[in-house]
Amino acid sequence: MAENQVPSSIKDEVLVMKRRNQMIKGAVTLFIEKGFHKTTTREIAKASGFSIGTLYEYIRKKEDVLFLVCDSIYQRVKERMEASIDPTQTSIKSLIHAIQSYFQLMDDMQDEVLVMYQEVKSLSREAQEYVLQKERDMVAMLEQVILNSLPEHHSKEEVKLIANNIFVQGQMWGFRRWILQRSFTLESYTDGQIQLLLQGLDTKEKERS
């Protein structure tokens, strides 16, 4: 299930994208305030700036809006990561740049990410699997940049664990923002996580030698 598989009676793709982006912005605000289940489609339509009738020209049901929110998040993450990762670069700087870019995006989209993880259980099984596969794809991108960037050999399991740690650390900035942002700026948080990662890798290499 992908965004273009959510039925719409409107054939103008540019207009569909515009209206759905309006829905996503309006819905995220409501889902944070009230939760998915307590939010009505009429409230989503109002927050989006159009009527309930217009809303149903672009979706079938309320769950479609939640799916569009989740799909939008992963598409933006994918685009940002693709833009920041150069597969031809093999230095540690490329890994640092990828982490910085990913953490910045998690800061930009912290409300959307929080909603997604709180409400993804409300999606159909098919939609949940689609979202899960998107997450696997994002982690796989991090795995590739780790393989390209680290000078020493690491096992497949180690690379996967490092990539998942980075992925979750970026999300944690939004999940625990009410605690973390009392002590850290995004820059100091990012720098601290990168230093801990590099120190851990250096220690591991010294133990092996």
Side-chain angles (χ1 to χ4, degrees):
M1 182 179 184
E3 179 180 351
N4 59 11
Q5 294 176 312
V6 175
S8 171
S9 62
I10 305 300
K11 303 307 178 186
D12 184 336
E13 292 184 5
V14 174
L15 183 59
V16 170
M17 183 176 294
K18 177 182 177 181
R19 292 287 186 249
R20 285 181 171 175
N21 284 338
Q22 289 175 260
M23 284 183 217
I24 289 166
K25 291 178 182 178
V28 165
T29 301
L30 289 167
F31 292 166
I32 290 172
E33 179 184 344
K34 305 180 64 174
F36 172 75
H37 290 291
K38 291 184 179 180
T39 299
T40 67
T41 51
R42 190 171 297 279
E43 289 171 327
I44 294 172
K46 183 177 180 181
S48 304
F50 39 77
S51 69
I52 186 71
T54 299
L55 182 79
Y56 279 111
E57 291 179 344
Y58 297 93
I59 61 166
R60 300 163 300 174
K61 55 185 186 287
K62 186 172 70 170
E63 288 76 10
D64 287 345
V65 180
L66 179 58
F67 173 79
L68 291 172
V69 169
C70 294
D71 193 54
S72 173
I73 290 168
Y74 279 113
Q75 185 58 35
R76 288 173 64 185
V77 171
K78 181 174 183 288
E79 290 172 356
R80 179 74 68 90
M81 290 179 69
E82 285 177 342
S84 68
I85 295 173
D86 183 351
T88 67
Q89 294 294 316
T90 58
S91 71
I92 198 70
K93 288 182 179 180
S94 62
L95 175 58
I96 292 172
H97 180 65
I99 294 172
Q100 290 170 335
S101 181
Y102 171 62
F103 280 22
Q104 179 62 61
L105 182 60
M106 290 298 97
D107 180 65
D108 295 343
M109 300 181 65
Q110 53 188 278
D111 287 343
E112 291 96 325
V113 172
L114 187 61
V115 165
M116 184 183 68
Y117 279 99
Q118 286 177 335
E119 306 293 356
V120 70
K121 61 185 178 296
S122 300
L123 293 172
S124 68
R125 182 171 296 179
E126 178 189 11
Q128 285 184 26
E129 179 54 35
Y130 173 83
V131 169
L132 182 59
Q133 184 57 51
K134 287 276 192 175
E135 184 162 305
R136 293 190 195 105
D137 293 343
M138 300 302 100
V139 173
M141 292 177 71
L142 284 172
E143 289 177 21
Q144 189 57 56
V145 77
I146 290 165
L147 286 169
N148 289 348
S149 302
L150 297 183
E152 302 294 335
H153 173 74
H154 292 267
S155 70
K156 182 178 179 181
E157 289 75 19
E158 288 173 332
V159 170
K160 188 174 292 293
L161 189 58
I162 294 167
N164 275 280
N165 282 344
I166 293 169
F167 198 77
V168 172
Q169 286 163 1
Q171 295 169 339
M172 184 171 71
W173 175 250
F175 294 160
R176 296 186 56 77
R177 58 188 173 185
W178 52 89
I179 297 294
L180 290 172
Q181 293 179 22
R182 293 179 182 177
S183 304
F184 301 93
T185 63
L186 175 62
E187 182 178 1
S188 65
Y189 174 80
T190 303
D191 289 346
Q193 293 289 12
I194 290 171
Q195 288 304 313
L196 288 172
L197 170 64
L198 298 181
Q199 288 168 13
L201 291 171
D202 185 58
T203 299
K204 190 170 185 62
E205 294 308 329
K206 288 177 181 177
E207 290 174 350
R208 283 176 171 169
S209 60

